[in-house]
């Protein structure tokens, strides 16, 4: 049976739920191939994220935590948590 999407005729916006997800492999000074709307922590630890200005900050995260941040990169140095990107 085909899936029914009652919202298929609606335009998606930034406050709409995400509909795609992808794994992130932290790499120093490498831009993510796809820039996520949100990061989700799959494990507890620290995630070091780089913004559009090149600034890197590290955040402690808990399992399941959402970072409402569109990271340009996730750095290997300083990252101990496993994160995925949401679009």
């Amino acid at each position: 049976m085909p899936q029914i999407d009652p919202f298929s005729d609606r335009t998606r916006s930034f406050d709409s739920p995400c509909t795609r997800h992808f794994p992130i492999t932290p790499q120093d000074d490498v831009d993510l191939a796809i820039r996520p709307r949100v990061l989700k922590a799959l494990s507890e630890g620290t995630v070091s994220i780089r913004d559009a200005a090149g600034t890197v900050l590290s955040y402690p995260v808990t399992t399941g935590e959402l970072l409402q941040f569109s990271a340009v990169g996730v750095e290997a140095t300083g990252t101990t948590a496993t994160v995925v990107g949401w679009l």
Side-chain angles (χ1 to χ4, degrees):
M1 174 178 207
Q3 183 182 51
I4 297 170
D5 182 358
F7 305 105
S8 63
D9 63 337
R10 311 273 173 145
T11 302
R12 295 195 39 78
S13 66
F14 285 113
D15 57 353
S16 299
C18 295
T19 59
R20 292 175 49 202
H21 55 148
F22 59 94
I24 291 177
T25 301
Q27 297 180 26
D28 290 336
D29 301 317
V30 176
D31 290 352
L32 294 168
I34 302 171
R35 190 167 178 184
R37 287 174 44 188
V38 175
L39 296 174
K40 180 173 175 92
L42 299 182
S43 68
E44 184 174 312
T46 302
V47 60
S48 295
I49 54 179
R50 183 167 32 87
D51 67 13
T55 303
V56 176
L57 293 174
S58 297
Y59 296 90
V61 293
T62 58
T63 302
E65 185 172 351
L66 296 178
L67 291 175
Q68 304 288 331
F69 189 82
S70 182
V72 172
V74 176
E75 306 298 299
T77 301
T79 296
T80 60
T82 300
V83 294
V84 295
W86 283 5
L87 299 174

